[in-house]
Amino acid sequence: MNNSLTFASATKEEATRFSARSGLRDSVPGVRMVSRSHFLLLLSAVAVSGGVGEPVAVSVHVRDRVTSTVGSSVVLPCTFKSDYSDYTTMEITVIWKVKVFYTGSVLFNVTNRSKGGKDFVDEVHTNVNGRYKLAGDPRQKVASLEVENVTLGDSDQYFCRVEVKRQGLRAFMDESNPGVTLEIIGSPIILRVSVKAINTTQPIVQCLAEGQPFPKIIWIDPQNNKLPANSSDTSVTSGPGKYQILGELRNPMFGGTYTCVVERQSLTQPAKGPSAVCSSIQKLACASSSKYHQWCPARQCRTQRAAINDQRLAP
C-alpha cells in the first residue's frame, strides 16, 4: 500500500500552515510537490475522511432563540469554525434562509472576497426588501445577520449557511440545523372598531386587535362599566391575521359610546382604541371613529373619547 501524501506548490504561508498542522515537513519520505489545485483537493479529502490533523472544513453555530420587539432591529448570531477561512485566496459566502432547513427561502446572500492583499469586499447577491445586512466580519468567523424594523410576521426559524471555497473548486459548507428561532413581541393595538347589523334590532359591535402575545379585549359601556369578558355577549375569536383577534359585543343594552380596550395578558397598561358610537340602538344610528391610538395618559384618553363622542349621529 502506498501511504505517501501529496502536497501542493501553494503559497508559502498556506504550505507552512498545513504542514505545521499535519506534523509533516518537506523532508518526509514519500512527500512530493504538485499543483495548487491538487493541494486544495487534498485538503478536501482530509477534511471529509478525518485524516491527518483532522482540519475543520466548516462548522456553523447559532443561538437557539432570540427575542425582540416590533419596530426594532435585531441580530441573529452566527459563528463558524474553518481552518481555511484565513487564506486570502478563499471566498466566504454567507447565506441566511427562513422556515425550512436547506430548502428554505433565501433572504440574504453575500460573498466576502479579497480585493488584493489584506483588503476584502462584501458582494451582496440577495437582500429581500433591503432589510438585511451582515452583523460581523466573516474573516473573523462571524456570519451574524441584522434584521431591520422587525414585524410580528418575522417570527420564524432562520438558518445560517457558510460556504468556504476557492473559485473554480467545490466549497466546504455547513448549515445550522436546527436554526435560530426569532420571536417578536408586539404591543397590543386596535386595528378597527365597527358596528355590524344582524337585523333592525340586533347590532354587534366588533373590535379587531393585534398583538403578541394575544391581547385581552375589554368592553366599556356608556355608563363606564366594564362588561364581563368572554361571556355569551362578549365573545373573542381568531382574527383574519395570524396575530389578530376579533372581539364581539352582542346585544348592547344602552345607546351611547361603547369603548374597546385591549391589554397585554401580563401587563396592566391598556391600548385604548376607537369607540363605537350609537345614539339609538333601536334605529341603529351608529358610527365609528376611524382614529385609534395606543395606551395614553388618562387626560389624553378622555380628550380622545370626547372627540369621538362628538361624532355620534342623531337618532
Side-chain angles (χ1 to χ4, degrees):
M1 175 180 287
N2 183 2
N3 293 323
S4 65
L5 291 177
T6 300
F7 275 76
S9 53
T11 65
K12 181 178 180 181
E13 178 186 15
E14 291 172 341
T16 300
R17 288 180 182 174
F18 186 79
S19 62
R21 279 199 301 272
S22 62
L24 298 175
R25 292 294 184 269
D26 293 347
S27 60
V28 177
V31 174
R32 58 191 177 89
M33 304 299 289
V34 293
S35 67
R36 293 184 63 184
S37 61
H38 287 168
F39 169 71
L40 293 174
L41 289 174
L42 172 67
L43 295 185
S44 174
V46 172
V48 172
S49 64
V52 178
E54 298 201 4
V56 178
V58 180
S59 178
V60 173
H61 306 275
V62 297
R63 188 183 301 176
D64 292 337
R65 178 176 294 270
V66 174
T67 302
S68 189
T69 56
V70 170
S72 64
S73 294
V74 61
V75 173
L76 305 180
C78 176
T79 58
F80 65 96
K81 296 179 180 179
S82 174
D83 284 348
Y84 311 123
S85 60
D86 293 338
Y87 302 146
T88 59
T89 54
M90 291 290 194
E91 297 179 349
I92 304 175
T93 297
V94 177
I95 302 172
W96 278 88
K97 304 175 184 179
V98 66
K99 293 187 183 299
V100 183
F101 168 70
Y102 193 72
T103 59
S105 299
V106 174
L107 299 176
F108 186 71
N109 183 339
V110 62
T111 297
N112 178 279
R113 57 170 54 96
S114 174
K115 293 194 303 181
K118 295 185 178 180
D119 294 328
F120 298 91
V121 62
D122 291 330
E123 181 180 339
V124 177
H125 311 292
T126 304
N127 188 355
V128 176
N129 298 325
R131 298 175 56 219
Y132 307 96
K133 63 181 179 181
L134 275 178
D137 182 2
R139 295 292 160 176
Q140 300 299 319
K141 300 180 177 61
V142 179
S144 301
L145 180 72
E146 181 176 344
V147 187
E148 297 179 344
N149 192 26
V150 294
T151 67
L152 292 177
D154 289 317
S155 294
D156 218 314
Q157 191 170 43
Y158 295 79
F159 301 87
C160 175
R161 179 184 180 90
V162 177
E163 301 178 355
V164 180
K165 65 173 292 186
R166 187 180 177 193
Q167 193 169 15
L169 298 178
R170 77 175 186 86
F172 304 106
M173 62 189 71
D174 189 33
E175 182 170 327
S176 59
N177 186 27
V180 52
T181 298
L182 175 61
E183 181 183 17
I184 304 300
I185 304 298
S187 298
I189 61 173
I190 295 176
L191 303 176
R192 183 183 72 248
V193 168
S194 57
V195 177
K196 175 182 177 182
I198 297 180
N199 53 48
T200 57
T201 60
Q202 289 185 291
I204 296 178
V205 186
Q206 296 181 324
C207 179
L208 180 63
E210 182 179 73
Q212 173 61 16
F214 286 123
K216 177 181 179 182
I217 291 182
I218 299 173
W219 288 102
I220 301 177
D221 68 15
Q223 298 181 355
N224 205 32
N225 297 315
K226 287 186 178 181
L227 302 180
N230 287 319
S231 68
S232 58
D233 290 331
T234 55
S235 63
V236 177
T237 58
S238 298
K242 183 177 180 180
Y243 301 98
Q244 297 175 1
I245 59 173
L246 179 66
E248 291 188 335
L249 172 61
R250 299 173 179 268
N251 304 315
M253 299 180 60
F254 306 102
T257 300
Y258 285 84
T259 302
C260 175
V261 177
V262 294
E263 294 180 348
R264 283 190 184 180
Q265 296 287 0
S266 58
L267 299 178
T268 57
Q269 290 186 337
K272 201 118 182 183
S275 303
V277 181
C278 299
S279 59
S280 172
I281 294 297
Q282 288 75 22
K283 293 186 179 182
L284 289 179
C286 301
S288 63
S289 168
S290 61
K291 298 180 179 179
Y292 67 89
H293 60 285
Q294 295 187 22
W295 177 84
C296 57
R299 180 178 301 175
Q300 294 182 16
C301 288
R302 284 198 298 269
T303 302
Q304 179 73 4
R305 290 189 63 188
I308 294 174
N309 283 334
D310 291 341
Q311 297 179 20
R312 78 177 71 184
L313 302 180

